[in-house]
């Protein structure tokens, strides 16, 4: 049984991922509402910037995290992020009533907060979890993200974007004050020389049968060794990496990349617009996507340490590859419904069925949330030590946000130029390639300690 204190603090510390989920899903329902509230036509370029500006902020935030992680504690940094996300949403809320142009700095600050908080959450949660329970506690990241997506989608369907942005602003203000209640991590207390407090905290975070004092001694020894080492810059850390470490870095960057190339963030950001040509209502779409994400994220959190990391990634790659291929077939059938290439008989009926589309959406979200979604965070925490993560986590999340910006920003261009069929066929091929990559290169880290 995982201690409640550990779970609650990990949930609160990973609230930045809740914000990522909200930021990712918000354009899906907000864009139609924004278009309807304006007395002029919102250009495709403007819509693509609304969908992608947060990713630019995330990119800047992760770069900032790389620069300041050695000078600011993870817990203090998370509180700072909570304040910035509150300010960002306040600007978005104001933009809904006064000037749409304020939405861009608001989204940028939101992304900045997410980009800074995600690496800090990885460090803080790794320090709380120690060598055990990492599969479960790092799955909380993806659970929080999916809760944010579900909440935002349902809220966006029920109310106009004016009121949804106000509600989200109030929630982030509450989270900001709640972050002050985070307990100091054992590593933070060891750095401060507070051994007695560190033991007290470890007793709250560990099971009764775990050797608290042995772990306290190991943490103290590790922190003392760090103090005695010459502090190196992140560039020096990268330069000092050997071939094996560069290979691990390349592997984790590819795993982060496949998370985006699965298409999940494009589907989440433009869910309503992508499936607007189908007969499925917006409310059903957001409920199916939101509940699928949160249910399967919770399932993965429960079974995270039951199977190997590679197994989850292979299942994820196969599932997303098959479902995106079916999406491509569905959109091809729709595009050619009145054309020369009409799909005959039973196959045409199946491809036109809303049941097939909804089933594929459910399986797609299951596939993503059982592997690509959470496992990248688990691998990051298991392949690198907390000290290494000060540099590596920042690099991974910088790459993650950069790729996210490119993928989301390019979606409208790709849609106009090539159409949904080519987009989903490409995603299917990449997801299938991820299976081969995982089998050949990704190490199994479930029983590994660093």
């Amino acid at each position: 049984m995982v201690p409640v204190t550990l779970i609650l603090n990990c949930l609160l510390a990973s609230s930045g991922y809740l914000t990522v989920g909200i930021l990712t899903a918000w354009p899906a329902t907000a864009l139609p509402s924004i278009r309807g509230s304006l007395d002029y036509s919102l250009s495709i370029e403007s819509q693509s910037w609304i969908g992608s500006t947060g990713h630019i902020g995330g990119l800047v935030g992760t770069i900032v995290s790389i620069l300041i992680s050695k000078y600011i504690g993870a817990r203090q940094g998370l509180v700072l992020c909570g304040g910035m996300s509150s300010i960002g949403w306040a600007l978005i809320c104001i933009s809904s009533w006064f000037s749409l142009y304020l939405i861009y700095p608001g989204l940028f600050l939101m992304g900045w907060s997410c980009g800074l908080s995600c690496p800090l959450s990885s460090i803080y949660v790794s320090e709380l979890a120690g060598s055990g329970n990492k599969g479960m506690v790092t799955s909380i990241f993806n659970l929080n993200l999916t809760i944010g997506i579900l909440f935002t989608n349902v809220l966006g369907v029920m109310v106009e974007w004016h009121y949804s942005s106000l509600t989200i602003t109030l929630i982030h203000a509450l989270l900001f004050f709640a972050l002050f209640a985070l307990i100091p991590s054992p590593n933070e207390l060891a750095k401060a020389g507070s051994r007695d407090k560190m033991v007290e905290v470890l007793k709250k975070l560990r099971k009764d049968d775990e050797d608290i004092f042995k772990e306290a001694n190991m943490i103290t020894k590790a922190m003392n060794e760090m103090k005695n080492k010459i502090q190196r810059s992140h560039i020096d850390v990268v330069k000092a990496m050997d071939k094996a470490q560069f290979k691990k870095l390349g592997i984790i960057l590819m795993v982060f990349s496949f998370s985006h190339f699965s298409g999940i963030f494009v589907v989440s950001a433009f869910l309503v617009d992508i499936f607007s040509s189908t007969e499925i209502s917006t409310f059903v779409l957001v409920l199916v996507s939101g509940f699928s994400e949160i249910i399967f994220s919770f399932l993965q959190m429960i079974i995270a340490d039951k199977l190997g990391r590679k197994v989850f990634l292979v299942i994820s790659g196969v599932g997303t590859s098959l479902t995106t291929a079916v999406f491509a077939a569905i959109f091809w059938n729709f595009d050619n419904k009145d054309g020369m290439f009409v799909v005959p008989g039973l196959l045409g009926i199946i491809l036109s069925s809303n049941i097939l589309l909804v089933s594929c959406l459910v399986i797609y979200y299951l596939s993503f949330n059982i592997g690509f979604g959470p496992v990248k965070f688990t691998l990051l925490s298991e392949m690198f030590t907390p000290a290494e993560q000060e540099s590596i986590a920042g690099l991974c999340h910088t790459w993650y946000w950069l790729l996210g910006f490119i993928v989301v920003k390019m979606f409208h261009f790709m849609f106009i130029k090539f159409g949904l069929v080519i987009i989903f066929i490409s995603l299917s091929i990449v997801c299938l390639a991820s299976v081969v990559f995982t089998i050949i290169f990704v190490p199994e880290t479930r029983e590994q300690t660093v």
Side-chain angles (χ1 to χ4, degrees):
M1 181 70 179
V2 181
V4 175
T5 302
L6 176 60
I7 294 295
L8 291 178
N9 277 273
C10 288
L11 276 170
L12 183 56
S14 59
S15 60
Y17 287 94
L18 177 75
T19 304
V20 173
I22 292 173
L23 183 63
T24 299
W26 185 75
T29 53
L31 278 173
S33 180
I34 292 171
R35 291 194 297 261
S37 67
L38 299 175
D39 54 6
Y40 58 89
S41 178
L42 188 65
S43 69
I44 294 295
E45 183 68 14
S46 296
Q47 293 181 60
S48 70
W49 278 111
I50 289 174
S52 60
T53 297
H55 291 273
I56 300 177
L59 174 61
V60 174
T62 52
I63 293 173
V64 171
S65 77
I66 294 174
L67 298 175
I68 70 171
S69 61
K70 291 184 179 295
Y71 308 102
I72 184 173
R75 186 167 59 96
Q76 292 79 9
L78 291 173
V79 174
L80 171 64
C81 293
M84 294 305 297
S85 62
S86 299
I87 295 172
W89 273 113
L91 286 173
I92 295 171
C93 181
I94 294 170
S95 76
S96 70
W97 297 96
F98 297 102
S99 172
L100 185 63
Y101 292 107
L102 286 174
I103 200 173
Y104 300 107
L107 289 169
F108 179 85
L109 283 178
M110 282 301 308
W112 185 93
S113 170
C114 295
L116 178 57
S117 68
C118 289
L120 295 177
S121 295
S122 297
I123 295 169
Y124 179 80
V125 168
S126 293
E127 292 177 352
L128 289 191
S131 59
N133 300 313
K134 283 189 177 179
M136 181 176 184
V137 296
T138 53
S139 293
I140 289 175
F141 296 161
N142 202 56
L143 177 65
N144 258 341
L145 190 149
T146 55
I147 291 173
I149 291 174
L150 171 63
F151 171 77
T152 307
N153 280 338
V154 174
L155 180 66
V157 169
M158 294 175 64
V159 299
E160 296 294 323
W161 77 291
H162 309 78
Y163 302 106
S164 66
S165 57
L166 175 61
T167 303
I168 295 170
T169 300
L170 295 175
I171 289 173
H172 279 83
L174 291 174
L175 285 173
F176 168 59
F177 290 109
L179 286 167
F180 285 96
L182 287 173
I183 62 172
S185 73
N187 297 55
E188 179 185 340
L189 293 171
K191 289 178 183 178
S194 303
R195 179 179 171 80
D196 292 339
K197 289 184 178 179
M198 177 176 61
V199 172
E200 290 178 12
V201 168
L202 284 171
K203 288 179 179 178
K204 296 177 182 178
L205 298 175
R206 302 291 179 261
K207 300 174 186 176
D208 294 335
D209 58 347
E210 294 187 55
D211 194 336
I212 303 297
F213 293 99
K214 180 180 178 181
E215 183 175 357
N217 290 333
M218 291 175 60
I219 294 173
T220 302
K221 181 181 178 182
M223 292 302 102
N224 288 335
E225 289 177 353
M226 285 182 60
K227 288 180 181 178
N228 294 330
K229 288 182 179 178
I230 299 175
Q231 293 294 314
R232 297 181 297 173
S233 68
H234 293 286
I235 295 177
D236 291 334
V237 170
V238 174
K239 286 181 177 179
M241 292 172 62
D242 56 25
K243 185 177 180 180
Q245 289 173 313
F246 269 114
K247 181 180 178 181
K248 289 199 300 182
L249 176 60
I251 290 171
I252 196 67
L253 288 176
M254 284 300 297
V255 174
F256 269 73
S257 300
F258 287 127
S259 179
H260 272 301
F261 290 139
S262 67
I264 190 70
F265 291 101
V266 167
V267 172
S268 296
F270 304 111
L271 178 70
V272 175
D273 289 340
I274 287 174
F275 295 100
S276 61
S277 59
T278 68
E279 298 176 357
I280 300 178
S281 69
T282 300
F283 189 68
V284 172
L285 270 176
V286 299
L287 282 183
V288 168
S289 63
F291 276 108
S292 296
E293 290 229 49
I294 193 170
I295 290 171
F296 295 136
S297 290
F298 185 75
L299 171 66
Q300 212 283 337
M301 189 176 72
I302 295 174
I303 65 173
D305 292 309
K306 306 299 182 183
L307 297 173
R309 315 311 182 204
K310 295 182 68 168
V311 175
F312 285 125
L313 287 175
V314 168
I315 294 172
S316 192
V318 171
T320 52
S321 178
L322 291 175
T323 49
T324 48
V326 175
F327 286 148
I330 290 172
F331 286 116
W332 183 86
N333 178 63
F334 183 84
D335 291 344
N336 291 277
K337 187 174 294 184
D338 300 320
M340 297 175 55
F341 304 100
V342 179
V343 179
L346 181 62
L347 180 59
I349 296 174
I350 293 174
L351 291 177
S352 301
S353 169
N354 287 339
I355 295 175
L356 175 64
L357 180 55
V358 171
S359 300
C360 281
L361 274 173
V362 172
I363 297 171
Y364 176 71
Y365 284 115
L366 165 64
S367 302
F368 178 83
N369 286 292
I370 209 167
F372 288 147
V375 172
K376 58 181 178 289
F377 304 121
T378 307
L379 286 174
L380 179 61
S381 68
E382 291 178 338
M383 292 173 67
F384 304 96
T385 65
E388 290 173 331
Q389 287 182 47
E390 290 180 358
S391 301
I392 302 302
L395 289 174
C396 289
H397 286 283
T398 298
W399 175 245
Y400 178 76
W401 285 104
L402 174 61
L403 205 57
F405 167 71
I406 294 171
V407 170
V408 175
K409 185 69 177 70
M410 289 294 292
F411 169 74
H412 282 99
F413 170 79
M414 296 289 289
F415 173 67
I416 294 171
K417 190 77 173 176
F418 302 105
L420 290 173
V421 175
I422 298 299
I423 289 174
F424 280 107
I425 288 176
S426 301
L427 294 176
S428 179
I429 293 171
V430 173
C431 290
L432 187 60
S434 76
V435 176
V436 179
F437 179 85
T438 299
I439 293 172
I440 297 175
F441 296 107
V442 176
E444 181 51 68
T445 60
R446 184 160 68 104
E447 303 296 336
Q448 178 179 310
T449 58
V450 292

